[in-house]
Amino acid sequence: MFYYLEGTISVLGQNLAVVDAGGVGYACMATSSTLSRLEAGKKARLYTYCYIKEDAFDIYGFFDTNEKRCFELLIGVSGVGPKAALSILSSCSPEAFALAVISDDETALTIAPGIGKKLAQRIILELKDKLSKETSALSAAGYSAPQAGGGQMAGKQRDAAAALTVLGFTQGEISAAMRGVDTQDLAVEDIIREVLRRG
Protein backbone atom coordinates (compact mmCIF):
# COMPACT_ATOMS: atom_id res chain seq x y z
CA MET A 1 0.00 0.00 0.00
CA PHE A 2 1.71 3.23 1.14
CA TYR A 3 5.39 2.92 2.12
CA TYR A 4 5.52 6.45 3.44
CA LEU A 5 3.65 9.74 3.32
CA GLU A 6 5.53 12.98 2.90
CA GLY A 7 4.00 16.39 3.24
CA THR A 8 3.12 19.17 5.65
CA ILE A 9 1.89 18.28 9.13
CA SER A 10 -1.44 20.10 9.26
CA VAL A 11 -2.86 18.70 12.51
CA LEU A 12 -1.32 17.16 15.63
CA GLY A 13 -3.56 15.56 18.23
CA GLN A 14 -3.62 12.75 20.75
CA ASN A 15 -2.14 9.74 18.92
CA LEU A 16 -2.81 11.55 15.63
CA ALA A 17 -0.85 13.35 12.94
CA VAL A 18 -2.49 14.59 9.75
CA VAL A 19 -0.15 14.76 6.76
CA ASP A 20 -1.21 17.09 3.94
CA ALA A 21 0.23 15.38 0.84
CA GLY A 22 -0.85 16.82 -2.50
CA GLY A 23 -3.87 18.54 -1.01
CA VAL A 24 -5.17 15.41 0.72
CA GLY A 25 -5.03 15.13 4.52
CA TYR A 26 -4.01 11.65 5.61
CA ALA A 27 -4.87 10.86 9.24
CA CYS A 28 -2.07 8.77 10.72
CA MET A 29 -2.28 7.18 14.13
CA ALA A 30 1.12 7.66 15.77
CA THR A 31 3.12 6.98 18.93
CA SER A 32 3.99 9.72 21.40
CA SER A 33 7.63 9.37 20.30
CA THR A 34 6.76 10.09 16.67
CA LEU A 35 4.42 12.95 17.61
CA SER A 36 7.13 14.57 19.74
CA ARG A 37 9.35 14.82 16.65
CA LEU A 38 6.75 16.51 14.46
CA GLU A 39 5.79 20.16 14.24
CA ALA A 40 2.56 21.56 12.80
CA GLY A 41 3.17 23.52 9.61
CA LYS A 42 6.49 21.75 8.93
CA LYS A 43 7.25 19.08 6.34
CA ALA A 44 7.82 15.51 7.48
CA ARG A 45 7.93 11.95 6.22
CA LEU A 46 6.05 9.20 8.05
CA TYR A 47 6.65 5.53 7.27
CA THR A 48 3.24 3.93 7.16
CA TYR A 49 1.41 0.73 7.93
CA CYS A 50 -2.12 0.35 6.57
CA TYR A 51 -4.48 -1.68 8.73
CA ILE A 52 -7.43 -2.82 6.64
CA LYS A 53 -10.48 -4.71 7.88
CA GLU A 54 -14.10 -4.90 6.72
CA ASP A 55 -15.04 -1.95 8.91
CA ALA A 56 -11.75 -0.07 9.06
CA PHE A 57 -8.98 1.46 6.97
CA ASP A 58 -6.50 2.97 9.38
CA ILE A 59 -3.07 4.38 8.65
CA TYR A 60 -0.32 4.18 11.27
CA GLY A 61 2.61 6.52 10.81
CA PHE A 62 6.13 6.25 12.23
CA PHE A 63 9.00 8.71 12.23
CA ASP A 64 11.50 5.95 11.43
CA THR A 65 11.52 2.40 10.12
CA ASN A 66 12.75 0.92 13.41
CA GLU A 67 9.55 1.91 15.20
CA LYS A 68 7.49 0.64 12.28
CA ARG A 69 9.35 -2.69 12.41
CA CYS A 70 8.53 -3.04 16.13
CA PHE A 71 4.88 -2.25 15.40
CA GLU A 72 4.72 -4.99 12.77
CA LEU A 73 6.37 -7.47 15.16
CA LEU A 74 3.87 -6.65 17.88
CA ILE A 75 0.73 -6.99 15.76
CA GLY A 76 2.07 -10.36 14.62
CA VAL A 77 1.67 -11.61 18.20
CA SER A 78 -1.68 -13.29 18.86
CA GLY A 79 -4.00 -11.01 20.80
CA VAL A 80 -2.06 -7.82 20.05
CA GLY A 81 -3.93 -5.31 17.91
CA PRO A 82 -2.71 -2.01 16.48
CA LYS A 83 -3.93 0.04 19.45
CA ALA A 84 -2.08 -2.16 21.95
CA ALA A 85 1.07 -2.04 19.80
CA LEU A 86 0.83 1.75 19.60
CA SER A 87 0.41 1.94 23.38
CA ILE A 88 3.53 -0.17 23.98
CA LEU A 89 5.63 1.84 21.55
CA SER A 90 4.45 5.07 23.15
CA SER A 91 5.95 3.79 26.41
CA CYS A 92 9.02 1.97 25.04
CA SER A 93 11.64 2.93 22.48
CA PRO A 94 12.51 0.17 19.97
CA GLU A 95 15.73 -0.60 21.85
CA ALA A 96 13.97 -0.71 25.25
CA PHE A 97 11.28 -2.96 23.78
CA ALA A 98 13.85 -5.40 22.37
CA LEU A 99 15.70 -5.48 25.70
CA ALA A 100 12.43 -6.16 27.54
CA VAL A 101 11.86 -9.21 25.34
CA ILE A 102 15.32 -10.74 25.75
CA SER A 103 15.42 -10.04 29.52
CA ASP A 104 11.84 -11.24 30.27
CA ASP A 105 10.98 -7.78 31.61
CA GLU A 106 7.18 -7.86 31.75
CA THR A 107 7.09 -4.66 33.79
CA ALA A 108 8.59 -2.64 30.94
CA LEU A 109 5.62 -3.65 28.79
CA THR A 110 2.86 -3.40 31.40
CA ILE A 111 3.75 0.27 31.95
CA ALA A 112 1.85 0.87 28.71
CA PRO A 113 -1.85 1.66 29.25
CA GLY A 114 -4.09 -1.34 28.53
CA ILE A 115 -1.28 -3.91 28.61
CA GLY A 116 -1.76 -6.51 31.31
CA LYS A 117 0.65 -9.09 32.66
CA LYS A 118 -0.76 -11.99 30.59
CA LEU A 119 -0.48 -10.08 27.34
CA ALA A 120 3.06 -8.94 28.21
CA GLN A 121 4.00 -12.57 28.93
CA ARG A 122 2.55 -13.68 25.59
CA ILE A 123 4.48 -11.00 23.68
CA ILE A 124 7.74 -12.02 25.34
CA LEU A 125 7.08 -15.74 24.86
CA GLU A 126 6.22 -15.50 21.17
CA LEU A 127 9.05 -13.14 20.28
CA LYS A 128 11.60 -15.13 22.30
CA ASP A 129 10.47 -18.23 20.42
CA LYS A 130 11.32 -16.39 17.22
CA LEU A 131 14.66 -15.42 18.75
CA SER A 132 15.48 -19.00 19.74
CA LYS A 133 15.30 -19.98 16.07
CA GLU A 134 18.12 -17.52 15.44
CA THR A 135 20.36 -18.72 18.29
CA SER A 136 22.52 -20.96 16.13
CA ALA A 137 23.06 -18.10 13.69
CA LEU A 138 24.08 -15.83 16.57
CA SER A 139 26.61 -18.41 17.72
CA ALA A 140 27.95 -18.77 14.20
CA ALA A 141 28.35 -14.99 14.02
CA GLY A 142 30.50 -15.13 17.16
CA TYR A 143 28.31 -13.24 19.61
CA SER A 144 27.89 -16.05 22.11
CA ALA A 145 31.51 -17.02 22.49
CA PRO A 146 33.36 -15.11 25.21
CA GLN A 147 36.52 -13.38 24.07
CA ALA A 148 39.74 -13.65 26.07
CA GLY A 149 39.88 -10.85 28.59
CA GLY A 150 36.57 -9.48 27.31
CA GLY A 151 33.80 -11.64 28.69
CA GLN A 152 31.69 -8.64 29.62
CA MET A 153 32.15 -7.08 26.20
CA ALA A 154 31.24 -10.36 24.50
CA GLY A 155 28.15 -10.63 26.73
CA LYS A 156 27.04 -7.12 25.81
CA GLN A 157 27.58 -7.86 22.13
CA ARG A 158 25.55 -11.06 22.46
CA ASP A 159 22.68 -9.30 24.25
CA ALA A 160 22.67 -6.44 21.75
CA ALA A 161 22.75 -8.89 18.84
CA ALA A 162 19.87 -10.89 20.36
CA ALA A 163 17.80 -7.73 20.79
CA LEU A 164 18.51 -6.67 17.22
CA THR A 165 17.44 -10.13 16.05
CA VAL A 166 14.12 -9.60 17.85
CA LEU A 167 13.78 -6.38 15.85
CA GLY A 168 14.18 -8.32 12.61
CA PHE A 169 17.81 -7.64 11.72
CA THR A 170 19.65 -10.40 9.87
CA GLN A 171 22.97 -11.73 11.13
CA GLY A 172 24.78 -10.07 8.24
CA GLU A 173 23.20 -6.71 9.06
CA ILE A 174 24.10 -7.09 12.74
CA SER A 175 27.71 -8.01 12.00
CA ALA A 176 28.14 -5.06 9.65
CA ALA A 177 26.40 -2.61 11.99
CA MET A 178 28.45 -3.68 15.03
CA ARG A 179 31.72 -2.74 13.33
CA GLY A 180 32.96 0.53 14.74
CA VAL A 181 30.47 0.62 17.63
CA ASP A 182 32.06 1.06 21.07
CA THR A 183 30.70 -2.15 22.57
CA GLN A 184 33.16 -2.02 25.45
CA ASP A 185 32.11 1.28 27.00
CA LEU A 186 28.47 1.58 25.93
CA ALA A 187 25.57 -0.05 27.76
CA VAL A 188 23.60 -2.68 25.84
CA GLU A 189 20.67 -0.30 25.20
CA ASP A 190 23.08 2.35 23.90
CA ILE A 191 24.74 -0.19 21.58
CA ILE A 192 21.31 -1.05 20.16
CA ARG A 193 20.42 2.63 19.84
CA GLU A 194 23.66 3.33 17.95
CA VAL A 195 23.07 0.42 15.56
CA LEU A 196 19.50 1.58 14.93
CA ARG A 197 20.74 5.12 14.30
CA ARG A 198 23.21 3.85 11.72
CA GLY A 199 20.73 1.51 10.11
Side-chain angles (χ1 to χ4, degrees), residues 27 58 60 76 92 129 131 144 151 158 166 168 175 188:
D58 296 323
Y60 292 82
C92 275
D129 181 56
L131 173 62
S144 59
R158 182 181 60 246
V166 169
S175 297
V188 174

Side-chain angles (χ1 to χ4, degrees), residues 52-94:
I52 303 170
K53 291 176 64 179
E54 288 181 13
D55 58 346
F57 186 117
D58 296 323
I59 302 173
Y60 292 82
F62 306 93
F63 195 82
D64 60 43
T65 55
N66 295 315
E67 197 175 49
K68 179 186 174 187
R69 191 185 313 211
C70 284
F71 178 83
E72 291 171 335
L73 279 172
L74 279 163
I75 63 173
V77 174
S78 57
V80 179
K83 288 183 181 178
L86 210 64
S87 179
I88 290 170
L89 293 175
S90 285
S91 302
C92 275
S93 64

Side-chain angles (χ1 to χ4, degrees), residues 38-59:
L38 302 175
E39 190 176 339
K42 300 284 187 179
K43 284 200 166 188
R45 173 182 289 181
L46 292 182
Y47 295 92
T48 55
Y49 179 90
C50 295
Y51 183 73
I52 303 170
K53 291 176 64 179
E54 288 181 13
D55 58 346
F57 186 117
D58 296 323
I59 302 173

Side-chain angles (χ1 to χ4, degrees), residues 96-106 108 124 128 131 159 162-163 166:
F97 167 71
L99 275 178
V101 171
I102 66 167
S103 61
D104 294 318
D105 187 359
E106 299 166 12
I124 289 170
K128 283 195 86 167
L131 173 62
D159 290 346
V166 169

Side-chain angles (χ1 to χ4, degrees), residues 91-152:
S91 302
C92 275
S93 64
E95 55 270 22
F97 167 71
L99 275 178
V101 171
I102 66 167
S103 61
D104 294 318
D105 187 359
E106 299 166 12
T107 306
L109 302 183
T110 56
I111 288 171
I115 306 302
K117 185 175 180 179
K118 286 186 178 179
L119 185 55
Q121 288 173 336
R122 186 183 308 136
I123 290 167
I124 289 170
L125 182 66
E126 289 194 24
L127 293 182
K128 283 195 86 167
D129 181 56
K130 175 185 175 183
L131 173 62
S132 69
K133 294 173 184 175
E134 299 288 338
T135 301
S136 59
L138 279 170
S139 297
Y143 292 115
S144 59
Q147 300 172 6
Q152 183 180 4

